[in-house]
Amino acid sequence: MKEKTQAIKTELEQRFAAGGCATSKELAELKMQYLGKGGKISELSKGMREVPAEQRPEAGRLLSELRAWAEEAFAAREAELKRAELAAKVASERIDVTMPAKYFRGGSVHPVTLVRRELEEIFSGMGFHIYEGPEIERDYYNFQALNIPADHPARDMQDTFFVGGEFLLRSQTSSGQIRVMEKQKPPIKVLSPGRVYRSDSDATHSPMFHQMEGLVVDKGITLCDLKGILDEFARRMFTAETKTRFRPSYFPFTEPSVEVDLSCKNCGGKGCRICKGTGWIEVLGAGIVNRRVLENCGIDPDVYTGFAFGIGLERIAMIKYGIGDIRLLFENDVRFLRQFGD
Ligand code: PHE
């Protein structure tokens, strides 16, 4: 028995020493061969029956010593392998934190959106609420209720896309004025931003563009209130020195109507290429809400008065950022768009 146990011990020592069992799988197989059921050590135990009775205690001792030694040897080797495997895993998955990161360029906010947000901020700071009306609009809201009947020549001022029946793509956010006044009684102070459509396309006109309508209705509202609000808008949107100028104009839904110019921020009013030598840039249409429009919405024009204005957002963006062609705003060329905002 002594020789047999010694032989097994030597065999195992050789297997471990020669760098055998490089993986836990190999080690587990080897363990089966020796310590498993039917393994070499187990076979030896079965052989105990043939050992003469007087040698049995000694043989039993040798055998259990061998078993204990083998179990320990396997456990030690197992732990060693686990450590090595873990170390290899850590090494192969190591992250080099000094490597340059993959560059991801985020998008940027569109200049028209920047202008819209800025205007919303300026006007909501002055107490305006935001109202967004539908883009597919009834003829009634876009024209008739705004004092533009079917045969009125003012319809030619806006080359409209008709959808069918009484529906059209709204050509102005002024339609929002009617929708608000139908539902709400004065005092009213709303801002209505959104897309509008006209069959028009060149360097300064786009078939789709954005407007922002302002409407204030209350007792005693005058042209002075309009001027005050627009002066504040001009100073906040451009510079503290920016001035506004009212020129007489015509819109069927306002009376009197004005065209509003801003002093040119490029030359400070002296006259340059941008303002075509005039010192002023035309930016929006406005006026005192026509009595007929108030009446159409059930508001008594002898009690209440109001003013309205319509700002073209692309126009403001073009002035603010010095953009010469409106089409640049709709081509979605990221090299152009990246220059704005964050
Ligand atoms: N709706 C007019 C336009 O699109 C602008 C405007 C709005 C004029 C409100 C006066 C009052 O041209």
Side-chain angles (χ1 to χ4, degrees), residues 158 172 174 177 198 211 213 251 253-254 285-287 308-310:
Q158 299 169 4
Q172 50 185 352
S174 300
Q177 288 185 34
R198 290 181 202 177
Q211 279 189 335
E213 193 85 6
F251 297 105
F253 36 91
T254 46
F309 58 84

Short mmCIF file of all heavy atoms in Angstrom, two decimals, residues 158 172 174 177 198 211 213 251 253-254 285-287 308-310, ligand 1:
data_model
loop_
_atom_site.label_atom_id
_atom_site.label_comp_id
_atom_site.label_asym_id
_atom_site.label_seq_id
_atom_site.Cartn_x
_atom_site.Cartn_y
_atom_site.Cartn_z
N GLN A 158 -51.58 88.03 -49.92
CA GLN A 158 -51.00 86.76 -49.45
C GLN A 158 -51.44 85.65 -50.40
O GLN A 158 -52.60 85.27 -50.42
CB GLN A 158 -51.46 86.47 -48.02
CG GLN A 158 -51.01 87.57 -47.06
CD GLN A 158 -51.66 87.47 -45.70
OE1 GLN A 158 -52.41 86.54 -45.42
NE2 GLN A 158 -51.36 88.43 -44.85
N GLN A 172 -51.20 83.49 -42.34
CA GLN A 172 -50.76 84.43 -41.30
C GLN A 172 -51.22 83.92 -39.94
O GLN A 172 -52.26 83.26 -39.83
CB GLN A 172 -51.33 85.81 -41.57
CG GLN A 172 -52.84 85.80 -41.83
CD GLN A 172 -53.39 87.17 -42.22
OE1 GLN A 172 -52.68 88.16 -42.17
NE2 GLN A 172 -54.66 87.23 -42.59
N SER A 174 -52.38 85.73 -37.81
CA SER A 174 -53.48 86.59 -37.37
C SER A 174 -54.75 85.79 -37.12
O SER A 174 -55.63 86.21 -36.35
CB SER A 174 -53.76 87.68 -38.42
OG SER A 174 -52.60 88.47 -38.61
N GLN A 177 -55.66 85.39 -33.62
CA GLN A 177 -56.36 86.49 -32.92
C GLN A 177 -57.83 86.16 -32.75
O GLN A 177 -58.41 86.33 -31.69
CB GLN A 177 -56.31 87.78 -33.77
CG GLN A 177 -54.98 88.47 -33.86
CD GLN A 177 -55.16 89.78 -34.64
OE1 GLN A 177 -56.20 90.44 -34.56
NE2 GLN A 177 -54.13 90.17 -35.39
N ARG A 198 -47.20 80.57 -47.80
CA ARG A 198 -47.60 81.41 -48.95
C ARG A 198 -46.88 80.93 -50.19
O ARG A 198 -45.71 80.53 -50.11
CB ARG A 198 -47.23 82.88 -48.70
CG ARG A 198 -48.08 83.51 -47.62
CD ARG A 198 -47.73 84.96 -47.38
NE ARG A 198 -48.18 85.34 -46.05
CZ ARG A 198 -48.00 86.52 -45.48
NH1 ARG A 198 -47.36 87.47 -46.15
NH2 ARG A 198 -48.44 86.77 -44.29
N GLN A 211 -44.23 82.98 -38.16
CA GLN A 211 -44.63 84.30 -37.66
C GLN A 211 -44.91 84.21 -36.17
O GLN A 211 -45.10 83.12 -35.63
CB GLN A 211 -45.93 84.76 -38.35
CG GLN A 211 -45.74 85.35 -39.72
CD GLN A 211 -47.02 85.99 -40.25
OE1 GLN A 211 -48.12 85.64 -39.86
NE2 GLN A 211 -46.86 86.95 -41.15
N GLU A 213 -47.57 86.26 -33.70
CA GLU A 213 -48.60 87.27 -33.61
C GLU A 213 -48.71 87.75 -32.17
O GLU A 213 -48.63 86.95 -31.24
CB GLU A 213 -49.93 86.61 -34.01
CG GLU A 213 -51.05 87.56 -34.26
CD GLU A 213 -51.00 88.10 -35.68
OE1 GLU A 213 -50.16 87.64 -36.49
OE2 GLU A 213 -51.82 88.98 -35.99
N PHE A 251 -53.60 97.20 -43.40
CA PHE A 251 -54.03 95.81 -43.21
C PHE A 251 -55.53 95.88 -42.95
O PHE A 251 -55.99 96.77 -42.23
CB PHE A 251 -53.33 95.16 -42.00
CG PHE A 251 -51.83 95.06 -42.15
CD1 PHE A 251 -51.00 95.94 -41.45
CD2 PHE A 251 -51.25 94.11 -42.99
CE1 PHE A 251 -49.62 95.86 -41.60
CE2 PHE A 251 -49.87 94.03 -43.13
CZ PHE A 251 -49.06 94.91 -42.43
N PHE A 253 -57.37 94.20 -41.12
CA PHE A 253 -57.79 93.89 -39.74
C PHE A 253 -57.28 94.88 -38.70
O PHE A 253 -57.53 94.71 -37.51
CB PHE A 253 -57.38 92.46 -39.37
CG PHE A 253 -56.06 92.03 -39.98
CD1 PHE A 253 -54.87 92.22 -39.30
CD2 PHE A 253 -56.03 91.46 -41.24
CE1 PHE A 253 -53.67 91.84 -39.88
CE2 PHE A 253 -54.82 91.07 -41.83
CZ PHE A 253 -53.64 91.27 -41.15
N THR A 254 -56.51 95.89 -39.14
CA THR A 254 -56.09 96.93 -38.19
C THR A 254 -56.38 98.30 -38.80
O THR A 254 -56.33 98.48 -40.01
CB THR A 254 -54.56 96.82 -37.87
OG1 THR A 254 -53.84 96.65 -39.09
CG2 THR A 254 -54.26 95.68 -36.94
N GLY A 285 -45.48 94.15 -39.26
CA GLY A 285 -46.70 94.90 -39.49
C GLY A 285 -47.50 94.93 -38.19
O GLY A 285 -47.44 93.98 -37.40
N ALA A 286 -48.22 96.02 -37.97
CA ALA A 286 -48.98 96.12 -36.72
C ALA A 286 -50.10 97.14 -36.88
O ALA A 286 -50.25 97.74 -37.95
CB ALA A 286 -48.05 96.53 -35.58
N GLY A 287 -50.85 97.36 -35.81
CA GLY A 287 -51.89 98.37 -35.86
C GLY A 287 -52.89 98.20 -34.74
O GLY A 287 -52.77 97.30 -33.90
N ALA A 308 -52.45 94.82 -32.43
CA ALA A 308 -51.92 93.53 -32.88
C ALA A 308 -50.66 93.78 -33.67
O ALA A 308 -50.47 94.87 -34.24
CB ALA A 308 -52.95 92.82 -33.76
N PHE A 309 -49.77 92.80 -33.64
CA PHE A 309 -48.57 92.90 -34.47
C PHE A 309 -48.22 91.50 -34.97
O PHE A 309 -48.60 90.50 -34.36
CB PHE A 309 -47.39 93.53 -33.71
CG PHE A 309 -47.00 92.81 -32.45
CD1 PHE A 309 -46.15 91.72 -32.48
CD2 PHE A 309 -47.51 93.24 -31.22
CE1 PHE A 309 -45.78 91.06 -31.31
CE2 PHE A 309 -47.16 92.58 -30.04
CZ PHE A 309 -46.30 91.49 -30.08
N GLY A 310 -47.54 91.44 -36.10
CA GLY A 310 -47.12 90.16 -36.66
C GLY A 310 -45.64 90.23 -37.03
O GLY A 310 -45.25 91.03 -37.86
N1 PHE B 1 -50.71 89.33 -40.61
C1 PHE B 1 -49.93 90.40 -41.19
C2 PHE B 1 -49.03 89.79 -42.27
O1 PHE B 1 -48.82 88.63 -42.26
C3 PHE B 1 -49.09 91.08 -40.16
C4 PHE B 1 -49.90 91.82 -39.13
C5 PHE B 1 -50.28 91.21 -37.96
C6 PHE B 1 -50.29 93.14 -39.37
C7 PHE B 1 -51.04 91.89 -37.03
C8 PHE B 1 -51.01 93.81 -38.44
C9 PHE B 1 -51.39 93.21 -37.28
O2 PHE B 1 -48.56 90.49 -43.13
#
